[in-house]
Amino acid sequence: MGQYQELRTLKQSGDLAAIAQPDAARYLRGFLGGEPEPSRSTDLDLLGSAKASADPLPLLCLRCRISHALEAWMLATYKAHHQSRGITLAAMASYALDDDGGLTIRTSPSSREAFTDAQLASMPKGLISPFTAEVLRSYKPSLCGLPHWARLKIQAHNELKTYFRQHGLLLISDWALLRNSSPTRVRQACEHHIRSGDTVETLCALHGRYGPLYDAAKLVHKQATGKASGWQPDLPFLRELEPDEDPFATNERLKAIAQAIRQLLTAQATTSLEDAAAAGFEPADPTSLAIDVPEEGPSSSDITTLIQAALQRAMDTHMPTVLASTGKKAALLRCLWSGWAEGLKQRPLAERCGTSQGTVSKQLKPELQASAVATAAAVELKRHPAFASCGQSVEAAERLVQALRNHLLEPEREGDAAPLRRWVQNHLSQP
Amino acid sequence: MTEPIPPMELFAMPAEAIELDPDQAGLSPRQMALAALQQAMRERQLGLPLGPQTALADADRLLSLNQVALQLATAGIVADEIPVDLNPWQQASTAPQLLLAALVDEENAVVAFPGALTAAEVVALAQQTKRAGVGFALHTEAFRGGVDRLLTLVQVLDSEALPRLALPPGNSTVVAVLDWLRGRLGEAMDAIGGELRPVSALAFRGGAVAPQADAQALAMLVIPFGLSADQLVSGDAARRCVRKFQLALIASGREKPTALKLQLSSAVPGALLPDGLVLVATQGSHRQTITSAMSTELELVFQASDQLLDVSLGYGDADPVVLPSLQLPA
């Protein structure tokens, strides 16, 4: 079964499935004598037929084609990130593989019209459903092929971006990636990851001209749409960038550079992970709390008492507000902090509180609060002569705050609870 | 065989990145960074004064956080370098005490703070970095500590522990081509034996009529080179060599230099250059290399740009002679 007569869609069960489209198959037999190999020329032929008639079937064939491209992108993305980030294929697909193959499209809550090119063109601005309709409505064949356009559109899908963001992932467009890569990075990427007829010098020079033009075009886009996302280079942009070159070739060169940068960053990320694994995890040292104390100053036990008192006061002042959340999230936050105080890690915390790991990491930030408490305690401590140097030296100030923070998060003795966990436990156990 | 790792479409959000409300997606990168800073302070229940209240979005103004002068530099979330405006650093009285880096993803309304640098740290880094015009770029990895470092320093340190420091005047290794029009050669060029010559000499170079004199030539600087025991030397040492040649730097344009031609030729007009001389010039990402082989002349041309032009001349395995970076135009 081919890409023009089989729709990839999300079923109610949450699985991705193929739905054969007999109407599309019949149309292809009549129009092209059978199922063609997927190609740009077939896409353009079908698009031409859709524009020339009120027949919904050529668009149905293209909707099938788009669904395959979207599914392939989603599968690759899922494979790369589901283990580390917990994303699910069903959730991703719910944003884009929502086409049921119907020959009508919803135009208002109570009405439907034929799913034709003319109908798509007449629909008001804003995301339309199914997503394949949005891809078709916005497609400009002069810029790129339909499958690539489908991938660009899904990568600009705001709700999907939000979903990824909730799981700690950012979708970065080629155009932003190009703009935010230095000449050094681009040269490295081109030298190691591009195999083309263009020289590295040519590609680096192209990239050098791209930045200022991108900034200007992006500003215009932002003023016109109110959005930072969704910008694509148009033909005038590409012609201005490379006046003597075919704009489509320029577009391909830019995409090739962006792809090379992605490959470079992927390789660097893999290497740094391997380096980190090889180096091993170095736990914070709670004994680093010791600071330089003048020989004739207060004793070590006096210093410890000062520190404990400052930390206690800082926690008493700071933490109640952190834990005193109200509204819809109050119960969740209490559950999260309570579980954290018991020593639960992210996954069991998420299970206990009935939420995702992404939500746990966003809502529960004990390290951040420990830093805030440690800084507040340091501000108090530096008034004492034994800590006066911490107000006068960057190194001393950082060392003190780091040591206080470590002390809050690490138990003093094996089996003990860390001071911040203990404080949270005590606080939450009060009626 | 190991399956190749597909390139990343999605990037991991930096640790402690701050997500802004979606309705803030239309803000400028600076405004987003400020919104994120304010959000970071709210999360930590800090009510530190942040100003100037009526001009927070003005990129030309320094911020004041808890009475500490702060410069904010922004770049994209996947940037490897952050451009820093050098203007406030020209004088100690206007210099910031801290520099905060913000990586902004406008498309996702996410901001990450890789960290902050003290003025002393910025000055130290700037002295190792080439500056172009009114800015220079710092590697994102130069920043450390996230927003917590900033918040710690502005709260714990006494103000005098964060001095305002001006950057040392100019970068001694950068030569402004525009100065040549005013008869100023620059110490760095003088040190390698460079000499300004009247542009009329172009037409009668070495007594011979040049095939194509530059009609718009504004200034010409000539550096004598020579080979002494197969070592490349310049200046007076070159004048004593048997194998002598010269590198002419010819600035051209209507009123100010808009192009620079690098022309390497024998000291004896029309004579062959020694084979194996390598002339390399780099301007930002644009790099040109040319090697002599039975050549009478090597020539490279560069257009004016905000990127510095770096030129070197090499021969054999020895280290090449590196010219001071050239700024074209000023």
Side-chain angles (χ1 to χ4, degrees), chain A residues 170 182 185 204 222 391 398, chain B residues 11 27 80 106 149 158 285:
Chain A
L170 295 174
S182 69
R185 180 196 271 173
C204 289
K222 214 167 164 180
E398 290 192 286
Chain B
F11 292 83
L27 299 178
D80 53 334
E106 286 185 83
R149 183 171 201 232
D158 302 332
S285 59

Side-chain angles (χ1 to χ4, degrees), chain B residues 224-229 233-244:
Chain B
F225 282 98
L227 288 175
S228 172
V233 294
S234 68
D236 285 339
R239 292 188 181 95
R240 294 191 290 272
C241 294
V242 176
R243 289 182 289 175
K244 286 187 284 196

